[in-house]
């Protein structure tokens, strides 16, 4: 008995090691790649950013927070005490009893409250109007470059970034409210000077670190998907058991994205629990947080579902007892269905025979076609994966039925060619 060549054994060990390292590296890079793609596509695509942020203009929490901040910014304060005192003195000069005239002075708090209530009504009507929606969209589109600056450390326009704080300038909205107050008869509002009132959208002493990381991720956005796919593909091809390697790689990628998804949930809770007092409000901050990360969350869920689907597909295509049993049941069902159809005069003829002879390549072609459709799909979601899986299963079922009828035709051919003895 001869021992295998040492070179051959060393080559196998080297291939197995390289395969394992590449697959692990690809699994680690998958969630990183998802983040880089989100940073690159979302931060640099103005139309997508505006479309994402537009619904916030009608978000109740945002409207309430902006309304309160507008009222504070307008800061319409009538000196109720002075006004009522002047009225009281005038009434006394007109002969009103001093006690009755002095009673007017007690109305000073009500005067201030009435003015504030009027300002609140005007601000509420403004934030619920189409004008506020247009202002919101315009400000976001104009300030899209500032959103990029929020990730790179520079700021200009309606959104500013300075010392870890991201702010939105609402000075234009204040001017709109000021005009409406004047039109409503509140003349003191005309004396409101121009303001540079800002709403704090985000604040963190670690923003500089986020900016450095985002800049690196933005640069990597072009190449990370390609690099990650190549590493995973080479790792699977080098493996001795490729189906098992593919299943492990898919599950690893899904697990990596699941970890990031859980981290986002924890980060959201931590951020909301540690909001500084200058931030808009907790519900409004939650709405902004969820909206900004919506595409990232959708992509993570999509990769998780896709990884599980690919891993299950690789497993059921393998030689295990359960996969063989499932495939056997499927084949038996296809044969039974084809036999029933044949007994009722329904047959595929040469199409079925050809399908049986080329079944392997037809299956590979369908898999490649579904993969290509998914790769070219713009912003795929979990629903996209589910629909494509259903289409794939239907296509494989059709191939199985045609192949089963083809097997029946092949078995029946010799009998048809026999001549009576």
């Amino acid at each position: 008995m001869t021992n295998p060549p040492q070179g051959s054994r060393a080559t196998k060990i080297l291939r197995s090691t390289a395969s394992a390292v590449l697959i692990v590296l690809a699994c680690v890079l998958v969630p990183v790649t998802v983040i880089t793609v989100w940073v690159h596509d979302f931060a640099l695509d103005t139309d997508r950013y505006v479309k994402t942020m537009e619904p916030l203009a009608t978000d109740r929490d945002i409207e309430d927070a902006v309304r309160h901040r507008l009222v504070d910014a307008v800061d319409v304060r009538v000196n109720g005490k002075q006004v009522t005192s002047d009225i009281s003195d005038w009434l006394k000069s007109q002969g009103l009893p001093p006690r009755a005239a002095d009673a007017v002075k007690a109305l000073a708090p009500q005067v201030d409250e009435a003015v504030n209530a009027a300002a609140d009504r005007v601000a509420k009507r403004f934030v619920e109007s189409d004008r506020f929606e247009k202002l919101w969209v315009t400000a976001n589109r104009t300030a899209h470059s500032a959103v990029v600056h929020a990730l790179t450390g520079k700021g200009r326009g309606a959104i500013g970034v300075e010392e870890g704080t991201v702010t939105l300038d609402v000075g234009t909205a204040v001017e709109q409210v000021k005009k409406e107050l004047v039109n409503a008869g509140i003349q003191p509002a005309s004396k409101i000077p121009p303001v540079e009132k800002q709403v704090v959208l985000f604040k963190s002493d670690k923003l500089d670190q986020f900016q450095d990381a985002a800049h690196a991720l933005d640069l990597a956005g072009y190449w990370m998907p390609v690099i990650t796919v190549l590493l995973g593909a080479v790792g699977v091809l080098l493996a001795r058991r490729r189906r098992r390697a593919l299943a492990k790689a898919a599950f690893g990628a899904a697990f990596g994205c699941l970890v990031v998804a859980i981290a986002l949930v924890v980060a959201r809770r931590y951020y909301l629990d540690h909001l500084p007092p200058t931030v808009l409000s907790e519900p409004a901050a939650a709405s902004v947080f969820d909206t900004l990360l919506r595409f990232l969350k959708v992509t993570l869920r999509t990769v998780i579902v896709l990884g599980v689907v690919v891993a299950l597909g690789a497993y059921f295509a393998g030689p295990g007892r359960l996969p063989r049993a499932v495939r056997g049941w499927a084949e038996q069902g296809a044969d039974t269905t084809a036999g029933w159809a044949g007994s009722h005069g329904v047959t595929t003829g040469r199409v079925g025979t050809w399908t049986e002879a080329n079944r392997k390549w037809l299956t590979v072609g369908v898999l490649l076609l579904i993969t290509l459709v998914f790769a070219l799909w713009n912003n795929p979601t979990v629903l996209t994966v589910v629909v494509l899986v259903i289409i794939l299963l239907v296509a494989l079922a059709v191939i199985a039925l045609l192949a089963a009828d083809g097997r029946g035709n092949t078995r029946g051919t010799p009998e048809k060619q026999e001549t009576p003895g």
Side-chain angles (χ1 to χ4, degrees), residues 52-344:
T52 301
M53 299 299 290
E54 184 175 359
L56 288 179
T58 56
D59 183 271
R60 181 60 60 184
D61 295 327
I62 295 292
E63 288 181 350
D64 290 343
V66 172
R67 173 169 58 89
H68 292 313
R69 194 57 59 90
L70 286 175
V71 173
D72 292 341
V74 171
D75 196 18
V76 180
R77 296 292 181 183
V78 176
N79 191 334
K81 184 176 181 180
Q82 182 63 46
V83 171
T84 54
S85 178
D86 293 342
I87 295 175
S88 176
D89 293 340
W90 181 81
L91 291 175
K92 288 179 182 179
S93 68
Q94 299 298 314
L96 191 70
R99 179 175 296 181
D102 290 341
V104 176
K105 296 181 179 180
L107 298 176
Q110 285 80 358
V111 172
D112 287 334
E113 183 178 348
V115 173
N116 289 335
D120 185 72
R121 286 196 300 273
V122 172
K124 184 176 186 295
R125 188 166 60 247
F126 173 73
V127 298
E128 293 178 351
S129 67
D130 294 339
R131 287 173 298 166
F132 176 69
E133 293 184 34
K134 293 178 181 178
L135 177 64
W136 176 272
V137 173
T138 301
N140 275 280
R141 182 173 293 278
T142 303
H144 175 259
S145 60
V147 176
V148 179
H149 300 327
L151 298 174
T152 60
K154 302 176 183 178
R156 67 172 184 269
I159 293 181
V161 182
E162 184 177 0
E163 297 181 356
T165 302
V166 182
T167 58
L168 173 66
D169 184 11
V170 295
T172 304
V174 171
E175 289 299 315
Q176 293 286 342
V177 173
K178 173 182 173 180
K179 291 180 182 179
E180 294 203 13
L181 287 173
V182 173
N183 295 336
I186 303 177
Q187 292 304 319
S190 61
K191 300 179 181 180
I192 299 173
V195 296
E196 294 293 337
K197 195 67 177 179
Q198 293 178 328
V199 173
V200 177
L201 298 177
F202 178 83
K203 185 172 185 178
S204 173
D205 55 1
K206 293 182 172 57
L207 184 59
D208 290 340
Q209 300 176 17
F210 296 153
Q211 291 167 348
D212 294 338
H215 182 65
L217 293 175
D218 181 37
L219 293 176
Y222 285 107
W223 300 107
M224 284 299 294
V226 177
I227 293 173
T228 302
V229 171
L230 286 178
L231 289 175
V234 173
V236 171
L237 291 175
L238 289 177
R240 294 178 58 189
R241 300 177 178 178
R242 292 175 181 172
R243 285 195 185 92
R244 181 177 296 183
L246 178 60
K248 291 181 179 179
F251 268 127
F255 179 76
C257 290
L258 179 62
V259 171
V260 175
I262 295 174
L264 288 179
V265 174
V266 175
R268 180 183 187 276
R269 187 67 267 164
Y270 179 85
Y271 171 66
L272 295 180
D273 289 341
H274 295 79
L275 283 175
T278 53
V279 170
L280 209 58
S281 71
E282 180 173 335
S287 297
V288 173
F289 188 96
D290 293 338
T291 301
L292 287 173
L293 297 181
R294 185 177 66 192
F295 285 117
L296 178 58
K297 293 178 179 178
V298 169
T299 304
L300 288 171
R301 288 194 293 265
T302 303
V303 175
I304 291 172
V305 173
L306 179 63
V308 172
V309 168
V310 171
L312 290 177
Y315 170 73
F316 281 105
R321 180 179 300 178
L322 179 59
R324 288 200 306 268
V326 171
R327 293 198 301 269
W329 296 333
E331 290 297 312
Q332 184 178 358
D335 287 337
T336 301
T337 303
W340 177 86
S343 66
H344 289 76

Side-chain angles (χ1 to χ4, degrees), residues 348-357 399 401-407 409:
T348 59
R350 294 182 178 180
V351 174
T353 304
W354 182 86
T355 301
E356 168 62 14
I399 292 174
L401 287 173
L402 292 174
D405 186 70
R407 287 193 298 272
N409 293 337

